[in-house]
Structures are given as structure tokens and as C-alpha cells.
Amino acid sequence: MRFLLVLLTTLLAVTGTRAAPEGWSPLLTPETLASMLEGGAAPQILRISGDHDAGHIAGSVSANYADFRGPSGNPGALPSLQALTDTVQSLGLEGTRPVVLVHDGTSPSDMGTATRLYWTLKSLGLQDLAILNGGFSAWKDAGLPVRVGTVAATPTDWTPKWHDDWRISTQEMERRLDDPDVRMIDARPTAFYNGSQSSVARPGTIEGAASLSFDRWFDDSRMKHPEELRQILASSPLPDASQTASFCNTGHWASINWFVLSELAGVPDTRLYAESMAEWSAADRPMDNQPSRIAHYWDMTVEWVNGLWKG
């Protein structure tokens, strides 16, 4: 036993890796996270949405979602590796310490801030990542301790390396458009998929894509139990393929689908099309469900009028 302890200590010293706390998984309950914070090797916590100074989990640091996103014309695009390096160093990330991501928890869409950052940090080389299910709202609802005020991060010199294992580019999407080994999944609500609604992208969807709206994974603002998520996925009419590409408008909602399929359901070779429809529809690329201009503006007008009545 003494030999094993010495060997483990030596390996940790060589690799610099910190073991994830007991009970670690990609999706944590507030109670599980609270128990982890009581130990001596507590994970680092990043708050990715909401007003951090008005209330946060002790020790958490506020991260700016926009620092991990592209410009207004193409929000799903990735910043340069140097820009991402500067950001993670300023947040105090070490590359070896487990990290828990906490969103505000106000809606299913809000969880996209955490899942998109999870995907980005995993692609940068972080191995032990988790998301607090229900975010900070769930933490408060559980009656767990809340702190207020500003928390300053201690910068580090961690130099990440980008891995393309979980990403698919626009060029590869074009090249594999008719490849039966790739299934393309639109994570947007049905109105976007069928072309009756649009935002930063032209109406319609990528040619041949299937629909799997991100909001079906949730009960209110909390994600369903992983086993229930797997059952939902199994009952979804999706084509069989060896690779899955998840997309939406800007890679925000699509990251939720990516997280469920890749990290919770264990679907092999699931990738995120980060730039999504904002980039795809900016050029003359193949699309389905494109309405005529008149039909599109009529649908948008009807939706706007209905919104007035609801308000």
C-alpha cells in the first residue's frame, strides 16, 4: 500500500494532474457540488452568466461569455487561440484542476452559455469539466450558501492547445453534405428549422438536416436525468451515422445538443458546428425549407402581432 501511495504521488507530481473529486460527472446536482467544495481538493468554479457580484457560490470567478465568442456578424466563430489563451489565463485556469461551470439558470437557453464554454474548454485540453444542473438558481433553491461581492482571479501561465476532435468546420460540412456517415442535427426550435422564423441567419436549414430542438432535454430550467435523456434520444427519429454534427444559429443551442449527445449519452464522434447557420447561410450554400421572401415576412409579421396580443 505504501508503494502504491508513493507511486501515485510521483505520477501526480510528474503529470501535474489533479484527480477529480469523488462523485464527479459532467452534470452535477447542487448537493453534489456542495459536498465537493467541503474537501481539500475543491474544483474551480466559473460563473458564466448572471450577476456574479450580486450572488455567487463561494470561490467562484466571473467569466465573460463574449470573450469565448466571435464578432456580432458571426457570433459562433471562435476567437484566436492567443485570445482564448489570454482569457483562460486571466481567469486563473490551470489546465489540471477540475472546473465546474455555473450559468444563471433562468431558462434552458441560458444553459447554452455553460455548454458552449464546456465545449471550448474541452477543446483547449481541459479534461475534468462539469456543469451545475439548473445553474445558480438551483443552488439558491437548494438553500445552499451564497456570497456577494467581487472575486478577483489569480492569473496563471497555462498555455492550452486546441483539439479539433469535437469540432466540424464549414468547409468539412460542405464536403460531407451528402455523406451518409454524417447526420446533421438542427438544434433550433421547429419554427427555425422549417423556415418560418429566423434571426442572424437566412430562414431555412442546412440541406438534409434533421430536427432535434434543444429544449426537449429540460424540465423547466433543469436538465432531465441522464437516463431519461438517453431514452428521449433513443426515441428520436434520427438517421443512423458514425458521426453527428450539431448546429443552430450561432453554436449556442447546438452546444446543448452536443453536450447531451457527447457527454451524457456517449454518442461517439459528436461534433459542434460552432459557426452554424450564421456562417452557412451567409453564402450560397445548399439549404432546405427556404420560404419565399413574401411568405417569410408574412410569417414574421404574424408572429410579431401574436406577440403583441400575448403581451
Side-chain angles (χ1 to χ4, degrees):
M1 177 64 70
R2 180 181 176 83
F3 170 76
L4 291 176
L5 289 174
V6 172
L7 178 61
L8 177 60
T9 301
T10 303
L11 287 173
L12 290 175
V14 171
T15 63
T17 300
R18 300 188 189 183
E22 184 178 353
W24 187 265
S25 67
L27 191 64
L28 298 175
T29 65
E31 293 77 13
T32 300
L33 176 57
S35 67
M36 292 177 178
L37 297 179
E38 295 174 355
Q44 184 169 2
I45 303 175
L46 290 185
R47 176 75 174 274
I48 191 63
S49 67
D51 188 347
H52 180 271
D53 292 353
H56 58 263
I57 301 170
S60 71
V61 172
S62 178
N64 184 6
Y65 186 48
D67 290 340
F68 295 90
R69 302 276 278 165
S72 58
N74 191 2
L78 284 162
S80 68
L81 180 57
Q82 183 58 59
L84 289 172
T85 298
D86 292 343
T87 297
V88 297
Q89 289 180 348
S90 70
L91 292 172
L93 298 186
E94 303 171 13
T96 56
R97 183 180 178 185
V99 174
V100 178
L101 304 173
V102 178
H103 54 298
D104 205 31
T106 55
S107 68
S109 180
D110 181 49
M111 189 171 178
T113 59
T115 53
R116 173 70 190 234
L117 183 53
Y118 182 112
W119 173 83
T120 304
L121 294 179
K122 181 170 184 172
S123 298
L124 287 171
L126 274 173
Q127 296 182 3
D128 293 318
L129 289 161
I131 293 174
L132 178 61
N133 195 9
F136 185 64
S137 294
W139 179 271
K140 290 191 299 181
D141 290 346
L144 294 166
V146 172
R147 300 287 180 86
V148 296
T150 302
V151 178
T154 302
T156 63
D157 59 359
W158 176 46
T159 304
K161 295 181 179 179
W162 183 264
H163 304 268
D164 262 338
D165 305 61
W166 304 281
R167 183 188 185 193
I168 188 166
S169 67
T170 298
Q171 293 71 30
E172 190 169 2
M173 288 284 283
E174 289 178 315
R175 183 175 64 82
R176 304 193 67 182
L177 196 62
D178 298 320
D179 188 341
D181 288 332
V182 180
R183 59 181 177 186
M184 301 180 186
I185 298 179
D186 192 334
R188 301 174 300 170
T190 305
F192 287 90
Y193 174 76
N194 65 26
S196 61
Q197 186 175 348
S198 64
S199 55
V200 298
R202 286 191 287 118
T205 190
I206 296 175
E207 185 178 87
S211 176
L212 186 62
S213 180
F214 76 94
D215 53 9
R216 70 185 309 170
W217 312 117
F218 293 84
D219 282 327
D220 294 325
S221 295
R222 301 190 190 189
M223 193 163 273
K224 299 175 188 288
H225 188 277
E227 181 57 37
E228 189 173 356
L229 299 178
R230 287 188 282 269
Q231 291 175 2
I232 293 172
L233 180 61
S235 64
S236 300
L238 299 175
D240 291 330
S242 58
Q243 185 178 96
T244 302
S246 177
F247 70 94
C248 57
N249 285 320
T250 67
H252 178 94
W253 291 333
S255 70
I256 297 175
N257 276 9
W258 173 86
F259 177 77
V260 171
L261 271 64
S262 174
E263 306 302 279
L264 301 181
V267 177
D269 202 6
T270 299
R271 296 174 180 245
L272 176 68
Y273 178 24
E275 296 81 4
S276 285
M277 290 297 296
E279 184 163 293
W280 183 268
S281 69
D284 186 22
R285 298 184 177 96
M287 291 176 60
D288 287 336
N289 303 339
Q290 286 190 282
S292 68
R293 187 179 297 272
I294 294 176
H296 171 59
Y297 284 117
W298 172 255
D299 287 339
M300 296 294 284
T301 301
V302 169
E303 182 180 344
W304 174 71
V305 171
N306 288 337
L308 292 178
W309 282 107
K310 291 178 182 178

